[in-house]
Amino acid sequence: MATKQATKETGLFEAIQQFCQDKSLDKDLVYGVIRDSLLAAYRKKVGLEAETDDRCQVEFGSDNKNEIIISVLRDVVEGKTTNPLEISLEDAVKIDPKIEVGNQIRVFEKPQDLSRVLSSQAKQMVFQRLRDMEKELLYQEYKSKEGELTHGYFQRWKKDIMSIDLGKVEGIMLKKDQNPGEKYRQGDRPKAIISGVELRPREPMPVITLSRASGDFVKKLFEMEIPEVYDGIVEIRDVARIPSYRTKVVVTTSKSDVDPVGACVGMKGVRIQAIVRELGNERIDIVLHSDEPSVFIANAISPAKPVEVHVDRKRGDALVIVPDESLSLAIGINGSNVKLVSQLSGFKIDIKTVSQYNQELASPEAREKLDRLFNAQQEAMEESEDNYNQSGQEEEEEDSGYTPLSEIPGLTPRIVGLLEAGGIKNVETLLEFSQEELSKISGIGKTTAEQILRLLRESIEWVEEG
């Protein structure tokens, strides 16, 4: 019988060691949990206060710790007693024949010799404490990995939520974090980032939220596939994404000899194609960063190549003029391209074709509307005009023989201001400029230059006919 009991206890400790190994728990911490749980259950059974902890001990047998013993230091008293911290002399001499009244003696008991209620309570407390310990350790482990790339085995669907086995714990991917259209079968190993880790009272394990739909997921894929991004030579400034449709990644570098766009695309597109495949053939545009909004918007509107870009920093508006055949490229499927450009730049984007722009310039009302769009440039014109008015009597007399630009019908004050800021003060000087030379003036561009010269030709013809 003793041999059977010893074997049972030895098996208990082997099970504890195996449990610690499987759950990556510290063995001493687990023994501590068992000790505290047994003490709490024993105190509750015999009615001891917590302050008596120093008189109650749980010991693991010295022989390879193959037994558990509870001991209580009791006072030896005369006669029978019901106090759990006292023992009668009659019972005490059975343990130590030399004991006397007034002495203290430590009484040892094995948990299996106690009542079934005590064993059951201690067992429940041990399991609860171990579950809490495991939950906290897993939380700390995965919380430190928040934002990192991971992968696991697809397990099942629960309504619209994916369950993914990460090894020690399951992660979930909500519908908003999934790429639309992606389908998985049991055993597939999708990649994702750990977007959130939290403890919830009613959940036995930490709730680990995964994402494949965020811009951070794309950023981590770039770090994995492109050495220059991983090493920090190429910096990803921003990512805007509409999952399963299009992603725009803004890149820059401080190295003058490095092409950040080329580094991300790779030879014959081999680097970017690996990321495209991971995203289910989602379109990815690599955008070169610029501090100048008009240049940045022109870069970001890719794959369309704009003719001109005008921005109003104060109002946050931007007008992008594209060739007639590039309108659909500039807008994108369901407006995806222009939405992403607006998200990255912070400007409200208005896209017009060259034909639409020319047609609007033919209407005085439309010209006025376009003029209001660029009120910042209008203010610059007014400032330039004030400086001109204050330039002195001599300059006015010097220019008195020339025709002012405002005499050209259809030429708005904004355009007049831009021309004057570019050094063109009158019609006679404007006649000397070609379309190419005009387009180089800040704020004008090729399309506007063509319209200025058209209005000029119409004006000259009208004067000659008069």
Side-chain angles (χ1 to χ4, degrees):
M1 188 72 177
T3 303
K4 184 178 179 181
Q5 184 63 49
T7 303
K8 184 177 180 181
E9 289 176 347
T10 303
L12 169 65
F13 284 97
E14 288 177 350
I16 291 173
Q17 292 178 1
Q18 186 63 46
F19 177 82
C20 294
Q21 196 171 13
D22 293 343
K23 302 295 186 180
S24 300
L25 298 175
D26 183 79
K27 186 169 65 175
D28 291 334
L29 287 177
V30 173
Y31 281 129
V33 168
I34 296 172
R35 181 183 295 110
D36 294 343
S37 300
L38 280 172
L39 282 175
Y42 182 79
R43 287 198 312 269
K44 185 176 181 180
K45 175 181 180 294
V46 300
L48 289 174
E49 299 293 334
E51 294 78 36
T52 61
D53 280 356
D54 57 335
R55 299 187 66 171
C56 297
Q57 295 180 2
V58 173
E59 301 175 6
F60 298 98
S62 58
D63 184 14
N64 295 324
K65 290 187 176 180
N66 60 357
E67 60 180 358
I68 303 174
I69 297 173
I70 298 176
S71 67
V72 181
L73 187 63
R74 296 183 178 181
D75 299 324
V76 180
V77 297
E78 192 72 48
K80 295 294 182 180
T81 179
T82 57
N83 190 328
L85 295 178
E86 295 177 345
I87 186 172
S88 67
L89 179 61
E90 182 182 351
D91 292 333
V93 295
K94 294 177 183 178
I95 302 171
D96 183 359
K98 299 179 180 180
I99 201 72
E100 297 178 357
V101 174
N103 293 154
Q104 289 184 324
I105 187 170
R106 188 164 288 279
V107 180
F108 297 88
E109 296 181 85
K110 290 186 178 181
Q112 59 269 21
D113 296 335
L114 302 174
S115 70
R116 181 179 296 180
V117 175
L118 170 60
S119 300
S120 177
Q121 289 176 347
K123 184 178 179 181
Q124 290 177 5
M125 293 178 69
V126 167
F127 284 154
Q128 184 59 48
R129 291 284 301 279
L130 289 178
R131 281 195 296 266
D132 292 343
M133 183 188 298
E134 182 187 9
K135 183 177 180 179
E136 179 63 29
L137 289 174
L138 285 172
Y139 171 77
Q140 295 296 340
E141 177 183 349
Y142 282 94
K143 189 68 176 178
S144 66
K145 296 179 180 179
E146 213 169 45
E148 292 185 8
L149 194 66
T150 188
H151 56 77
Y153 290 97
F154 171 76
Q155 291 290 96
R156 60 189 173 276
W157 291 97
K158 188 176 180 181
K159 295 185 179 179
D160 292 329
I161 300 175
M162 286 174 57
S163 179
I164 298 175
D165 182 6
L166 300 177
K168 297 179 182 179
V169 68
E170 283 191 358
I172 60 170
M173 191 181 298
L174 306 177
K175 186 174 182 179
K176 66 182 180 66
D177 294 314
Q178 301 167 20
N179 279 356
E182 288 187 340
K183 303 295 181 183
Y184 295 98
R185 293 176 296 180
Q186 195 165 9
D188 289 346
R189 297 190 69 190
K191 292 186 180 73
I193 63 162
I194 300 174
S195 59
V197 181
E198 59 180 318
L199 291 172
R200 295 179 185 173
R202 297 185 180 181
E203 297 291 340
M205 289 293 161
V207 178
I208 299 173
T209 307
L210 307 174
S211 176
R212 284 179 56 84
S214 68
D216 289 337
F217 176 59
V218 176
K219 188 175 181 179
K220 287 297 178 182
L221 291 178
F222 269 74
E223 291 178 1
M224 184 178 70
E225 296 289 343
I226 301 166
E228 289 84 351
V229 175
Y230 181 82
D231 294 335
I233 297 172
V234 174
E235 177 189 356
I236 296 179
R237 295 290 294 267
D238 201 357
V239 178
R241 188 177 180 208
I242 300 177
S244 295
Y245 286 94
R246 185 182 292 273
T247 292
K248 289 185 181 289
V249 182
V250 183
V251 297
T252 187
T253 183
S254 57
K255 303 282 186 180
S256 58
D257 59 337
V258 175
D259 174 16
V261 176
C264 292
V265 173
M267 187 71 69
K268 296 183 179 180
V270 65
R271 289 179 172 179
I272 197 67
Q273 281 305 315
I275 300 173
V276 168
R277 284 194 297 272
E278 178 61 37
L279 297 178
N281 295 320
E282 184 176 311
R283 291 294 304 271
I284 300 179
D285 299 326
I286 312 298
V287 179
L288 183 62
H289 174 74
S290 175
D291 291 327
E292 174 55 47
S294 60
V295 176
F296 177 68
I297 291 172
N299 294 340
I301 205 72
S302 173
K305 295 182 179 180
V307 177
E308 291 180 37
V309 176
H310 299 282
V311 299
D312 181 351
R313 294 173 185 258
K314 190 173 182 180
R315 290 179 179 265
D317 295 330
L319 175 63
V320 180
I321 304 170
V322 298
D324 290 24
E325 64 276 9
S326 299
L327 181 61
S328 60
L329 279 178
I331 295 174
I333 299 174
N334 297 325
S336 59
N337 199 51
V338 70
K339 286 177 185 176
L340 293 177
V341 176
S342 181
Q343 182 179 333
L344 288 171
S345 65
F347 284 81
K348 182 180 178 182
I349 309 294
D350 184 16
I351 297 182
K352 295 187 182 298
T353 63
V354 173
S355 298
Q356 289 171 337
Y357 184 65
N358 290 342
Q359 185 177 359
E360 289 200 2
L361 279 180
S363 162
E365 294 80 6
R367 284 200 300 271
E368 185 180 354
K369 180 180 177 182
L370 289 173
D371 193 52
R372 286 198 305 270
L373 176 64
F374 305 116
N375 74 312
Q377 294 175 337
Q378 172 68 21
E379 290 173 2
M381 179 276 296
E382 291 173 354
E383 183 178 348
S384 175
E385 187 174 322
D386 290 341
N387 293 335
Y388 174 77
N389 292 335
Q390 295 171 5
S391 62
Q393 182 77 27
E394 293 180 2
E395 188 174 344
E396 288 183 7
E397 291 176 356
E398 198 173 300
D399 292 342
S400 61
Y402 294 97
T403 306
L405 295 172
S406 58
E407 292 294 322
I408 301 176
L411 203 62
T412 65
R414 178 181 69 86
I415 299 298
V416 171
L418 293 174
L419 290 172
E420 290 179 345
I424 302 175
K425 306 292 185 180
N426 48 63
V427 174
E428 286 75 10
T429 306
L430 179 59
L431 287 169
E432 298 174 3
F433 277 72
S434 66
Q435 180 178 337
E436 184 178 355
E437 290 171 332
L438 279 178
S439 66
K440 293 179 181 179
I441 295 176
S442 177
I444 291 186
K446 294 181 180 179
T447 306
T448 306
E450 181 183 349
Q451 295 304 314
I452 291 172
L453 293 180
R454 180 179 62 79
L455 292 171
L456 179 63
R457 287 192 300 270
E458 292 174 356
S459 173
I460 291 173
E461 292 172 359
W462 180 82
V463 170
E464 288 176 349
E465 288 174 1

